[in-house]
Amino acid sequence: MAGKSGRTISAEPRGTVKKLLFSWESAMVLVFLGVILLGNVISPYYTLKNVFREMPKYLSEIFIMLAMGYILVLGDIDISVGSIVCLSATLACIADNAGLPFVLVVLICILTGLACGCLNGFIASHFTELPTMIITLGTQIIFRGIAEVSLGPGGSISLQNKDAIKLLSRKIGIIPVSFFVVLVFALIFIVVLGRTTFGRKLYAIGSNSTAAKYAGIDVQKIRWIVFTVAGTMAGVCALFFLASTYGASTTTGQGFEMEVIAMCVFGGIATTGGKGKLIGGFFAAFIIVCLRIALGQINMNTQLILVIIGAMLIVSVLIPAIGNALRLARKKAEKA
Amino acid sequence: MSDIEASAAQQEDIILELRGITKIFPGVKALNNVHFQLRRGEVHALMGENGAGKSTFIKVITGVHEPEEGQIFLNGQEVHFRNPKDASAMGIAAVYQHPTSYAQLSVTENIFMGHEIMKGRMIDWAAMNKEAQALLERLNANFRVTEEMGALSVAQQQMVEIAKALSTGAKIVILDEPTAALTANESKELYRIVDQLRDEGVSVIFISHRMEDMYRLATRVTVFRDSQYIGTYDVDKITTADLIKAMVGREISDMYPKPEVAIGGELLRIENFSRQGFFKDVSLNVHAGEIVGLTGLVGAGRTETMEAVCGITKPDSGKVYLEGRELSIRKPKDAMKAGIILLPEDRQRQGLILKWGLGRNVTLPIQEEMANSVFNNEKKERQVAREYLESVDTKAVTIFDAASSLSGGNQQKVVVAKALAQKNMKVVIMDEPTKGVDVGAKAEIYAIMGDLAKQGYGIILISSEMPEILGMSDRIYAMCKGRITGCLDRSEATQEKILELSME
């Protein structure tokens, strides 16, 4: 059905293998392998068994990272997730202390996250002139405030029924159960974003929400859904957090939002929306986890580890900028 | 003999001359040995299709690009512009279609940005405001210098840009598609300002796709095509057909190929559509195979009405019938499902995702129809995208080319392909489909429109361009201040009648 001029347009994808090899995501895989190598060089204890043993306390954040990736692709941001973790964990502990059965405790933990996310999404989708940074800054304070009020003067609470939650911190061989759960969630999130019509809509909204609306996409409904999912994942995170700490306090989940945003950005997901792949964020998360474990094993000071991770983040976002600058310089040199 | 004498006499009057300019970008000759002469106090139109090299040429004059070859003479002296500052210091200023202003700053601040009036080391606000006021008065502007730039209309912002050019003492002002974003009235106001500049001895270079502008303003016109200089003509001595031929390189025998189509049954009917502050009591209908023009001044409520029909916004009241059945349209998807497809006015913002490839853009509204359950069927999408992009003759190499890399006319074709790919389409609403599109691509879009009518689609054409409305429509509705003021049949419609209905 060629047009009048008989001009044809190619529809064959080309250079896909090359593109894959030189992608940010493949760079992530290399860095990941580099971190493993580094761990083996600097620490004699950096065995598979030890790494898996120390992993659970870092794994729970990855649940939120997956949903944060969606939010960033939309061009939005959610900085209330850390507070949602705090509130979910707190209410779950209170339910547990009141003697409710474990199933209900789990349900309360996750549903609290869902409700918080739903509230964020409701505000974001109905008051579209408000930036989500500001909306979730507000709810961040509210959610943690509610948790602090519920916790009372002591400021912390412990689980009574620890046996049930230990189900989540069990191991299969040397690998913790939570690792498998993270893998399953990651697979689902990655496939949905990369391969489904829903994922395509997220990219469309993040690239140009007006054009997305004119193309028949219900932009506000989808934003609402994604914020709700993010809250729910914060609830899931809280559950696994409880499985490794057996309690909650006013500082639970503090800073999680920034850490997961850092993972996403490090993984190549742009905060401006419409760009990046979740698999990048996934590898970035494991790079950070494995690096933390390695540096922890040589007793490096926690604050110093944070400095290193921060520096890595800056360098990672600088790389494309440096690349562009080099290209410009080369062009100028050619001109002269 | 007399010709030579005349041109000798005019030698004195040449303020700007460019000879043998060649500009090469990696892999492309953007300008190939082009010439240009501008007389003092002349309005000189520069025309050509998109990609002909006009913009590059302007950037050479304003010092943004340095040409590889050629000479520039200003008042008979050879000059070299190494950067825009050099050109500006010599009295050359450009005003672009979309003013690159500082929306949050005042008019005064915008006018004097970069060349503030100083009193010692401090900005002399009083002097600047006074000077800005004087400039605005000179242009007969009806807004204050303290107003925020962002609060002004595009026309007013352009006026500020012109004032800015004058504030630097520009002797040559370049206007790049100044009327593209203006209403008919605003264009008239701009004409008046250009006339005034000319009378004050300023020389003006004027780029536009509108023949109307050229006839009204320019005394001479220079045409570029495919990076080459084609010729310079006296406006009153060249016919439109010859000018189009110069621009396109071939003859366009029939600019408006309106087919003779037997009009079928009623497809779409809108009854008593109202939305507070936008439109009131709008009723109209479209039949199968019919092209219905919807005209009026910008701001008359045409776009707003059609957006409400398509579920982009919600009307306060009114009913929509498609093939006699009442529709309930709450969101854009409802209208699309029913077969009412909108080609939005602002294709770069509303019609396309510029960063995306053409294929993805075409299949975005129909990805779900092609999907295997929830998963994208990429292979089928590529096939379909290619088929429709070819059917409208898009000038592109692959379907993976970014939409931003295409010219305006080709971007519009992608938007058309995106509509056609929605197989259940019955009524297509085209909102200013040829805005910013060059004359060759315009003719192609009209041809597509004619084909669609032949195939029995109902077409609503929203347009402010009189020749296009008169040339393509079977019936013409005119709107004014949110109301339909009349409906004219093709046989009875004239420019005067339409204007009368549009202005009231």
Side-chain angles (χ1 to χ4, degrees):
Chain A
M1 190 167 158
K4 292 196 176 74
S5 70
R7 200 185 292 125
T8 57
I9 302 169
S10 159
E12 289 315 306
R14 280 163 73 193
T16 36
V17 176
K18 198 174 156 194
K19 246 187 234 163
L20 192 71
L21 278 178
F22 288 94
S23 68
W24 187 257
E25 289 74 26
S26 348
M28 284 283 109
V29 176
L30 284 183
V31 176
F32 178 68
L33 295 176
V35 166
I36 304 278
L37 193 69
L38 179 84
N40 277 300
V41 171
I42 61 172
S43 162
Y45 315 107
Y46 206 72
T47 58
L48 210 53
K49 192 176 168 194
N50 283 337
V51 170
F52 273 127
R53 204 187 55 220
E54 295 181 44
M55 198 174 268
K57 62 179 166 186
Y58 301 114
L59 280 177
S60 56
E61 278 182 24
I62 297 177
F63 291 108
I64 310 183
M65 185 280 295
L66 297 170
M68 187 63 83
Y70 280 25
I71 287 188
L72 295 184
V73 165
L74 279 178
D76 284 313
I77 199 159
D78 183 348
I79 56 170
S80 72
V81 283
S83 294
I84 298 178
V85 172
C86 180
L87 184 58
S88 287
T90 301
L91 294 186
C93 287
I94 290 173
D96 167 82
N97 288 2
L100 291 180
F102 181 63
V103 179
L104 273 183
V105 172
V106 170
L107 216 57
I108 283 172
C109 192
I110 291 170
L111 287 182
T112 304
L114 186 144
C116 292
C118 189
L119 178 68
N120 281 335
F122 173 80
I123 302 172
S125 58
H126 285 78
F127 302 91
T128 51
E129 66 282 1
L130 296 179
T132 43
M133 168 79 100
I134 303 303
I135 295 171
T136 55
L137 176 64
T139 54
Q140 177 189 58
I141 298 165
I142 294 171
F143 297 151
R144 194 170 291 279
I146 297 172
E148 284 178 13
V149 170
S150 319
L151 284 168
S156 69
I157 192 167
S158 294
L159 282 175
Q160 301 299 320
N161 178 8
K162 287 184 182 139
D163 296 338
I165 198 116
K166 276 183 182 159
L167 285 172
L168 295 176
S169 48
R170 276 172 59 178
K171 283 183 182 158
I172 300 171
I174 56 165
I175 305 173
V177 169
S178 53
F179 180 76
F180 288 108
V181 182
V182 164
L183 276 192
V184 169
F185 270 98
L187 191 70
I188 294 169
F189 271 76
I190 289 168
V191 168
V192 167
L193 186 62
R195 294 264 175 271
T196 67
T197 56
F198 182 80
R200 179 84 61 84
K201 287 180 187 172
L202 299 190
Y203 283 107
I205 294 168
S207 301
N208 181 346
S209 63
T210 311
K213 181 179 175 185
Y214 277 80
I217 295 171
D218 199 337
V219 175
Q220 299 314 330
K221 188 171 119 195
I222 286 178
R223 289 178 72 221
W224 195 353
I225 292 172
V226 171
F227 272 95
T228 307
V229 169
T232 311
M233 292 309 280
V236 173
C237 167
L239 190 64
F240 281 90
F241 181 83
L242 285 178
S244 59
T245 59
Y246 307 115
S249 74
T250 51
T251 58
T252 294
Q254 216 158 45
F256 276 22
E257 60 280 348
M258 291 308 157
E259 282 172 28
V260 298
I261 292 168
M263 287 173 190
C264 289
V265 173
F266 188 28
I269 300 171
T271 50
T272 43
K275 201 168 156 249
K277 289 189 178 131
L278 204 50
I279 185 123
F282 179 73
F283 274 107
F286 275 94
I287 288 168
I288 290 174
V289 168
C290 292
L291 185 70
R292 277 187 158 181
I293 292 172
L295 297 178
Q297 283 181 348
I298 58 165
N299 288 325
M300 191 183 271
N301 170 320
T302 325
Q303 279 72 26
L304 196 55
I305 295 178
L306 289 180
V307 170
I308 290 173
I309 291 172
M312 274 169 60
L313 182 67
I314 298 285
V315 170
S316 76
V317 291
L318 275 180
I319 288 170
I322 292 169
N324 281 340
L326 284 179
R327 228 166 294 146
L328 269 181
R330 204 182 317 140
K331 245 186 208 165
K332 241 184 192 165
E334 269 171 24
K335 215 176 160 187
Chain B
M1 192 61 197
S2 63
D3 271 4
I4 295 167
E5 270 167 28
S7 67
Q10 279 157 4
Q11 283 293 285
E12 317 291 301
D13 278 7
I14 302 296
I15 182 166
L16 177 74
E17 179 170 11
L18 289 92
R19 283 189 209 150
I21 299 288
T22 297
K23 172 75 205 169
I24 300 166
F25 290 118
V28 208
K29 247 187 192 174
L31 290 172
N32 189 357
N33 190 26
V34 302
H35 315 284
F36 185 77
Q37 269 193 349
L38 181 67
R39 291 179 193 149
R40 196 179 311 278
E42 166 188 49
V43 179
H44 196 129
L46 184 57
M47 298 189 86
E49 295 193 274
N50 290 333
K54 292 169 310 210
S55 299
T56 310
F57 184 70
I58 293 306
K59 285 180 179 159
V60 168
I61 299 180
T62 53
V64 178
H65 293 322
E66 243 180 301
E68 267 74 28
E69 282 168 37
Q71 296 163 294
I72 305 175
F73 297 90
L74 194 65
N75 293 314
Q77 302 271 319
E78 184 167 2
V79 288
H80 295 279
F81 299 141
R82 279 178 310 270
N83 53 48
K85 259 214 161 116
D86 287 355
S88 153
M90 297 209 191
I92 298 174
V95 175
Y96 295 99
Q97 175 185 358
H98 294 288
T100 47
S101 50
Y102 304 89
Q104 269 130 24
L105 298 185
S106 72
V107 169
T108 302
E109 285 168 295
N110 270 286
I111 290 178
F112 288 101
M113 181 59 69
H115 59 279
E116 292 82 359
I117 301 175
M118 305 297 276
K119 197 191 232 168
R121 308 192 68 169
M122 310 289 268
I123 288 175
D124 189 346
W125 285 104
M128 261 167 48
N129 278 326
K130 207 173 142 205
E131 179 73 26
Q133 185 63 44
L135 284 167
L136 289 191
E137 271 166 23
R138 183 170 153 199
L139 296 176
N140 206 359
N142 58 351
F143 49 89
R144 291 195 310 273
V145 294
T146 48
E147 241 160 309
E148 220 175 70
M149 193 73 164
L152 303 179
S153 71
V154 178
Q156 291 171 325
Q157 291 184 14
Q158 258 174 9
M159 244 186 237
V160 174
E161 293 281 313
I162 293 172
K164 180 175 182 176
L166 295 177
S167 76
T168 61
K171 290 286 164 218
I172 299 172
V173 173
I174 301 161
L175 301 172
D176 189 359
E177 289 206 44
T179 56
L182 303 189
T183 65
N185 273 346
E186 289 170 339
S187 294
K188 272 192 195 141
E189 188 62 19
L190 184 84
Y191 294 161
R192 187 189 58 71
I193 290 173
V194 175
D195 285 344
Q196 187 187 336
L197 291 179
R198 186 197 56 213
D199 294 345
E200 290 175 8
V202 176
S203 313
V204 179
I205 303 172
F206 196 97
I207 298 181
S208 176
H209 287 308
R210 287 195 190 172
M211 294 283 171
E212 227 180 309
D213 294 343
M214 184 206 63
Y215 283 120
R216 170 64 183 73
L217 289 171
T219 46
R220 291 195 302 166
V221 51
T222 291
V223 174
F224 287 178
R225 184 176 75 229
D226 299 332
S227 313
Q228 301 203 337
Y229 172 81
I230 301 300
T232 300
Y233 316 93
D234 286 326
V235 169
D236 49 11
K237 285 188 193 130
I238 186 166
T239 64
T240 309
D242 285 344
L243 191 60
I244 289 176
K245 193 177 163 191
M247 282 193 277
V248 185
R250 60 189 152 88
E251 265 178 83
I252 295 185
S253 52
D254 191 2
M255 188 72 191
Y256 306 104
K258 173 83 186 70
E260 288 303 318
V261 179
I263 307 290
E266 185 186 75
L267 275 179
L268 180 74
R269 186 166 85 244
I270 300 158
E271 275 182 6
N272 305 105
F273 245 57
S274 296
R275 186 175 172 219
Q276 185 80 41
F278 293 96
F279 48 87
K280 197 160 167 50
D281 244 356
V282 175
S283 300
L284 56 82
N285 67 356
V286 192
H287 298 85
E290 188 181 35
I291 301 178
V292 169
L294 184 56
T295 187
L297 306 177
V298 170
R302 302 165 301 170
T303 299
E304 291 77 3
T305 308
M306 287 305 141
E307 285 189 343
V309 171
C310 295
I312 306 282
T313 53
K314 284 193 187 79
D316 300 331
S317 61
K319 287 176 178 168
V320 184
Y321 297 89
L322 190 72
E323 293 172 323
R325 274 191 315 119
E326 189 179 346
L327 297 178
S328 144
I329 294 171
R330 286 201 211 85
K331 51 185 198 286
K333 194 87 200 173
D334 295 338
M336 293 164 86
K337 268 187 188 152
I340 304 171
I341 310 294
L342 174 70
L343 273 61
E345 178 179 15
D346 186 344
R347 58 182 162 267
Q348 305 213 337
R349 213 172 58 82
Q350 302 163 333
L352 294 170
I353 295 176
L354 291 175
K355 283 185 279 185
W356 280 19
L358 312 178
R360 287 259 157 119
N361 267 296
V362 169
T363 52
L364 182 60
I366 51 165
Q367 54 158 347
E368 271 155 335
E369 277 98 278
M370 286 185 291
N372 297 322
S373 71
V374 298
F375 296 103
N376 280 118
N377 186 342
E378 306 250 7
K379 202 174 161 201
K380 191 167 174 199
E381 283 188 32
R382 288 198 292 267
Q383 248 170 20
V384 169
R386 180 185 149 177
E387 180 187 321
Y388 285 100
L389 284 166
E390 282 182 353
S391 78
V392 295
D393 218 358
T394 314
K395 212 183 203 172
V397 181
T398 80
I399 64 163
F400 307 103
D401 293 357
S404 57
S405 69
L406 299 190
S407 68
N410 277 293
Q411 285 181 353
Q412 188 64 43
K413 287 189 207 163
V414 178
V415 178
V416 173
K418 184 175 166 184
L420 291 177
Q422 300 177 53
K423 290 216 182 66
N424 60 340
M425 177 166 89
K426 289 179 181 129
V427 176
V428 54
I429 301 167
M430 300 178 143
D431 196 348
E432 301 282 4
T434 64
K435 193 162 136 186
V437 169
D438 63 55
V439 64
K442 255 184 194 175
E444 289 181 62
I445 288 167
Y446 297 138
I448 293 170
M449 222 184 276
D451 282 346
L452 292 178
K454 263 190 230 163
Q455 290 166 44
Y457 295 110
I459 299 167
I460 297 178
L461 168 65
I462 304 179
S463 174
S464 309
E465 266 193 63
M466 209 55 94
E468 148 179 323
I469 281 280
L470 287 167
M472 293 306 297
S473 317
D474 290 296
R475 270 188 306 139
I476 299 161
Y477 288 98
M479 276 185 87
C480 177
K481 292 182 185 154
R483 286 168 188 276
I484 298 248
T485 47
C487 178
L488 300 167
D489 207 69
R490 182 177 180 80
S491 53
E492 55 173 342
T494 62
Q495 191 154 343
E496 290 71 34
K497 278 188 194 166
I498 292 174
L499 268 180
E500 199 179 307
L501 289 171
S502 307
M503 312 271 235
E504 225 162 306

